[in-house]
Amino acid sequence: MYNFLFMKAAKVKIIFGILAVALLSFIFMQNPNQSHADNNDSQRQSDKLIVATSPDYPPFCELQGDKIVGYEPDIYHEIANRLGLKLEEKIMNFDSIITAVASGTQCDIGMSGISIDPEREKSVNFSDPYYTADLSFAVAERSDIESSNAKYKIYDSGLTFAVQSGTTAETFVKENYPRARCLAYTNANDCFSAVLADQADVVCSTKAVVNDMLKSSFSNMRVVLNVATGEEYGIAINKSDTTLLTNINRVLAEMKTDGTLNKIASKHGINVSGEKEETTSLKTIKCTAKANTQATSDVMSGKPTRITWEAQTAKNEYLNGIQFTLPEGVKFGVEDTALTMLTGEDLLTRTPIKIKATAEAQTIKVNFLDPNQIKYGAYFRLEIYDVVFPENYATEYKCAATYYTIDDVSHKVNDMPSIAVINPSWIQRFAEDINETEFVKAWNSNTFLNLFLNPYIFLLSIPVVFTGFLMALATVLCAFPLAIPLGLILALMRLSKLRVFRAIAATYVNIIRGTPLFLQIYIAFFGLPLAGINIPNFLLGLIVLAMNSSAYLCEIFRAGIQSIPKGQFEAARSLGMSAQQTMLSVVLPQAFRVCIPTMTSEFILLYKDTSLLASVGVMEIVMFAKTIVASTGSITPYIVAALFYLVITIPLAKIVGNLEKKFKKSHKPTGAPKRIMKKDQKPDKSTIASHEVFPKGGIDSNQMGSV
């Protein structure tokens, strides 16, 4: 026992490592669904239905006082009533809902405008859809983007889009507008505020949300474009609770049949239409490929994707056939090829066209089985599935298209945009390879390990989060040097004899230290632009961080200066140095030396505080991680983000510890120890002689002069 307590640190680390591996092995060997099944059974037995929601998405879900109201709360209240369950609501961020449902420990269902998505279906089950959503684009009244030119100007221009983090609006913008810059915010309200504050040019969100926002709080904005994306909202349910899934689908079917869903929709006014836009000739609206990587919005070669082509025929044209040609080397399927005609107000009425698709070489021929379905001036969408771009070839591909009118005249489409495709990197190839191994499949079969440390998502997240790491590091490396001189000036003002200087510095320090940094960031990013002060996001972020850190550095410097003994001041003044010379040459060098450990700790805190910039759309570590979490439902990217923080904070914390030890060691008393004599002991003459201060002959005048 005695030897164990005093064994070397290396052996202790080995033992802790073995214990950690044993713990993970124990978790890994458990039945991955057993704990969640037991948990769900207990919830059913307690007659409780726990729903996770993010009430920042009106009219679907919002807070009024302390009550959650909206289209979706009305639905899940009705479901709970019909199932005879007691309802419990849990508020959380949108990008955390899928993870919470997948874990099975925090809630039973998630309902917050969640689109049914194949990536999300890997983590949770979805109910039958209860709403089909389309997207709207809105701009400030002062914008030069109009309804007549929005469809083409938004696509062709490198505009900045404000979107809610983790939503399909974010995915749509990244997929369909390759020249755009995308700013992701935590909630919808911040997206609209960003446009008014000139942080973004356009806001993209669900059509019903945009209409509600413009009607209530943002009347000085207008809708310029509506897009019939047709995303279906579903209720997210834990995969182990199939009974709840069946019951919810049954209730939703009843609500559709008896008209309850329509009544709830009408109550919240989510069906609002605008004006239909006309064109005078066929134009390609877009030709894009769906992102096929989990960690980014890129289209990767070698993996299946979907090509979407949208075009508008002229008013007097009747579509009679389509031929779509893909570049050489591109593989594709024709079985699932779909053609949809979009009509009605805002082109939001979707009519699936009955077609027969056949392939000849690289061309897909689309023949209409029921020509009566087609209308003059049709706006159509062609979707081609199982498209695989070849690896190690061109990074941009351009498709070709020909359409036939009723008189069998062919028209070649000349304005087809290119599709950007990336070749997989070595880390992406490695991730794909290990994801197919039996060990990783078994690892991911455990819900806990799949959510917290999915090897595939872990590897894909590294290069994405690394970009945010560089941004966070650049921010703190620019902000901290700015904070040091400002903090020193404030410290000197607090020590000044002039009351005005002391009052100004004290007021600044008390306000900054007395309010949350999160609030300061919001005021700067949304308040200053409304006052006519427009600063780029990166520059504004580092200014806010520098000002916040300067208040803390002020107190650090003030304490360091006051720790210098007064004798240092008096000695310097006795040598004829002025107060300024004394401060600059004597006091500050010593004070800085004292403050270095605490300053390093402040640098660590400032580096971690860069994560708060994610709330206003600055793409740093947490923001990149949140984007992946929202699309995958796994919180593994947060583990990657934590590692990028630790790679800086742990070495710096070690440096702080060493500096503190060195500082304490350098201040230990030095010199020969005093000799302690016994009470009756007489001093030895030889000892006295060897320790004489003055020589026996005294000090002559020359020696005195030298002294």
Side-chain angles (χ1 to χ4, degrees):
M1 183 64 181
Y2 180 86
N3 293 333
F4 175 79
L5 293 175
F6 290 90
M7 66 172 47
K8 293 181 179 180
K11 293 182 179 179
V12 175
K13 291 179 180 178
I14 292 173
I15 290 176
F16 276 111
I18 294 173
L19 291 175
V21 172
L23 177 61
L24 284 177
S25 301
F26 173 76
I27 296 173
F28 178 74
M29 294 299 293
Q30 302 305 306
N31 185 340
N33 296 322
Q34 184 63 43
S35 60
H36 304 301
D38 294 342
N39 183 59
N40 286 322
D41 288 342
S42 64
Q43 290 171 355
R44 297 288 78 73
Q45 291 172 3
S46 63
D47 294 330
K48 184 183 292 185
L49 180 67
I50 305 175
V51 55
T53 186
S54 179
D56 53 12
Y57 207 55
F60 292 95
C61 191
E62 62 181 316
L63 274 176
Q64 288 186 1
D66 59 350
K67 187 177 181 182
I68 303 175
V69 299
Y71 175 62
E72 290 173 327
D74 284 358
I75 292 176
Y76 61 65
H77 273 90
E78 184 68 20
I79 291 174
N81 288 335
R82 297 194 183 195
L83 293 179
L85 300 175
K86 183 180 178 182
L87 187 69
E88 180 180 326
E89 297 167 308
K90 281 193 175 182
I91 297 176
M92 57 182 63
N93 288 336
F94 176 80
D95 50 20
S96 301
I97 294 176
I98 294 295
T99 305
V101 175
S103 69
T105 57
Q106 300 185 49
C107 57
D108 301 313
I109 64 173
M111 195 173 183
S112 189
I114 305 174
S115 297
I116 300 173
D117 180 83
E119 291 300 328
R120 291 171 176 164
E121 286 181 314
K122 294 178 181 178
S123 302
V124 297
N125 287 328
F126 278 101
S127 70
D128 295 334
Y130 59 86
Y131 181 76
T132 301
D134 298 306
L135 295 178
S136 286
F137 296 82
V139 299
E141 285 287 0
R142 59 181 177 273
S143 174
D144 59 351
I145 301 176
E146 303 290 342
S147 297
S148 57
N149 62 15
K151 192 171 293 184
Y152 311 107
K153 192 165 186 177
I154 288 177
Y155 183 84
D156 293 331
S157 303
L159 301 177
T160 301
F161 287 78
V163 296
Q164 188 172 357
S165 173
T167 60
T168 50
E170 180 182 15
T171 305
F172 180 84
V173 169
K174 289 180 177 179
E175 177 183 337
N176 293 278
Y177 303 105
R179 302 179 185 88
R181 177 170 173 255
C182 201
L183 294 180
Y185 294 86
T186 305
N187 57 69
N189 189 78
D190 288 348
C191 297
F192 289 84
S193 298
V195 173
L196 292 182
D198 288 331
Q199 301 287 345
D201 302 303
V202 186
V203 61
C204 177
S205 188
T206 301
K207 184 175 183 290
V209 174
V210 172
N211 287 322
D212 187 86
M213 287 288 191
L214 267 57
K215 188 193 310 180
S216 57
S217 305
F218 297 91
S219 57
N220 48 355
M221 295 179 65
R222 53 190 168 84
V223 176
V224 293
L225 180 64
N226 294 293
V227 180
T229 53
E231 281 119 9
E232 295 179 321
Y233 288 176
I235 301 172
I237 305 168
N238 186 272
K239 277 188 172 293
S240 64
D241 203 339
T242 55
T243 301
L244 182 60
L245 173 65
T246 302
N247 289 336
I248 287 179
N249 283 336
R250 175 177 56 79
V251 172
L252 285 175
E254 293 173 357
M255 293 171 67
K256 291 176 183 177
T257 303
D258 61 25
T260 303
L261 275 181
N262 288 334
K263 290 179 182 178
I264 295 175
S266 300
K267 172 184 174 182
H268 296 281
I270 62 173
N271 295 317
V272 181
S273 300
E275 296 180 359
K276 182 179 178 180
E277 188 174 338
E278 299 289 351
T279 60
T280 56
S281 61
L282 184 141
K283 289 185 179 180
T284 293
I285 307 305
K286 73 174 185 180
C287 184
T288 59
K290 181 178 176 60
N292 55 4
T293 58
Q294 286 189 322
T296 67
S297 58
D298 297 317
V299 180
M300 186 185 299
S301 61
K303 292 186 64 177
T305 183
R306 180 199 70 211
I307 287 182
T308 301
W309 176 44
E310 291 187 4
Q312 171 81 65
T313 58
K315 288 191 242 183
N316 58 348
E317 286 183 322
Y318 184 93
L319 198 66
N320 197 35
I322 298 173
Q323 287 188 358
F324 193 88
T325 303
L326 289 89
E328 288 294 330
V330 178
K331 299 178 181 179
F332 58 91
V334 295
E335 293 81 7
D336 297 323
T337 301
L339 182 69
T340 305
M341 185 174 64
L342 306 175
T343 57
E345 295 293 339
D346 285 342
L347 303 174
L348 298 181
T349 301
R350 287 166 288 274
T351 305
I353 304 300
K354 298 177 181 179
I355 62 170
K356 180 181 180 180
T358 57
E360 291 186 7
Q362 292 298 113
T363 300
I364 299 177
K365 292 186 176 181
V366 179
N367 298 314
F368 302 148
L369 299 180
D370 185 1
N372 293 327
Q373 288 185 294
I374 308 300
K375 295 183 179 180
Y376 281 97
Y379 184 106
F380 59 87
R381 174 191 294 152
L382 178 66
E383 294 173 304
I384 304 170
Y385 291 83
D386 299 325
V387 178
V388 180
F389 292 95
E391 296 184 25
N392 302 322
Y393 284 90
T395 55
E396 286 197 354
Y397 293 86
K398 201 165 188 176
C399 301
T402 302
Y403 71 100
Y404 298 86
T405 53
I406 194 170
D407 52 3
D408 289 330
V409 176
S410 64
H411 301 268
K412 186 177 180 180
V413 179
N414 297 315
D415 56 346
M416 297 289 284
S418 299
I419 299 174
V421 180
I422 66 168
N423 290 317
S425 63
W426 69 268
I427 196 169
Q428 290 168 328
R429 294 177 188 272
F430 181 64
E432 293 288 344
D433 290 340
I434 70 166
N435 197 45
E436 297 301 321
T437 62
E438 293 300 324
F439 174 79
V440 172
K441 290 180 180 178
W443 177 280
N444 289 336
S445 65
N446 182 283
T447 305
F448 173 83
L449 297 176
N450 184 43
L451 288 177
F452 282 85
L453 199 60
N454 184 311
Y456 178 71
I457 298 176
F458 183 92
L459 291 172
L460 292 184
S461 299
I462 291 175
V464 179
V465 179
F466 180 72
T467 305
F469 167 71
L470 295 179
M471 178 64 73
L473 201 58
T475 302
V476 72
L477 289 177
C478 293
F480 197 69
L482 291 176
I484 291 174
L486 181 56
L488 181 58
I489 293 171
L490 290 169
L492 295 176
M493 290 174 66
R494 295 210 68 177
L495 296 171
S496 173
K497 294 180 180 180
L498 296 178
R499 183 177 297 177
V500 176
F501 285 172
R502 294 200 306 271
I504 293 174
T507 302
Y508 177 87
V509 171
N510 289 334
I511 291 176
I512 296 297
R513 296 183 66 186
T515 56
L517 176 57
F518 183 82
L519 181 61
Q520 296 165 20
I521 291 172
Y522 257 68
I523 292 174
F525 274 78
F526 296 118
L528 292 181
L530 295 178
I533 304 173
N534 295 299
I535 303 174
N537 281 2
F538 176 77
L539 181 59
L540 183 58
L542 68 88
I543 289 174
V544 174
L545 292 178
M547 293 180 65
N548 179 271
S549 183
S550 66
Y552 292 90
L553 288 174
C554 166
E555 296 302 287
I556 293 172
F557 291 143
R558 184 165 70 96
I561 292 172
Q562 291 178 333
S563 70
I564 306 302
K566 291 184 178 180
Q568 299 281 339
F569 294 87
E570 295 169 356
R573 297 305 296 272
S574 68
L575 293 175
M577 298 177 69
S578 65
Q580 290 80 7
Q581 290 174 324
T582 301
M583 182 62 70
L584 292 175
S585 302
V586 178
V587 177
L588 288 182
Q590 299 181 72
F592 269 112
R593 187 165 178 270
V594 173
C595 295
I596 285 177
T598 317
M599 289 174 62
T600 309
S601 297
E602 173 60 24
F603 180 88
I604 294 174
L605 292 174
L606 190 65
Y607 172 62
K608 293 189 294 183
D609 284 343
T610 57
S611 62
L612 295 175
L613 294 175
S615 62
V616 289
V618 176
M619 299 302 292
E620 46 68 66
I621 296 177
V622 172
M623 194 70 244
F624 278 101
K626 283 168 66 74
T627 302
I628 307 173
V629 170
S631 61
T632 62
S634 172
I635 64 173
T636 301
Y638 287 147
I639 305 299
V640 178
L643 294 178
F644 278 110
Y645 282 111
L646 293 175
V647 77
I648 296 295
T649 57
I650 288 180
L652 286 179
K654 184 68 174 177
I655 291 173
V656 170
N658 291 337
L659 288 173
E660 290 176 344
K661 290 179 182 179
K662 187 176 180 180
F663 178 75
K664 290 178 181 179
K665 185 177 180 181
S666 65
H667 280 71
K668 287 183 178 180
T670 58
K674 293 182 179 180
R675 184 171 181 178
I676 301 175
M677 295 182 296
K678 297 180 180 180
K679 185 175 181 181
D680 298 331
Q681 183 180 358
K682 294 182 179 180
D684 184 26
K685 292 183 178 181
S686 61
T687 304
I688 296 176
S690 64
H691 289 84
E692 283 181 333
V693 178
F694 301 107
K696 289 184 177 181
I699 301 177
D700 59 22
S701 59
N702 293 329
Q703 289 173 321
M704 181 64 76
S706 64
V707 175

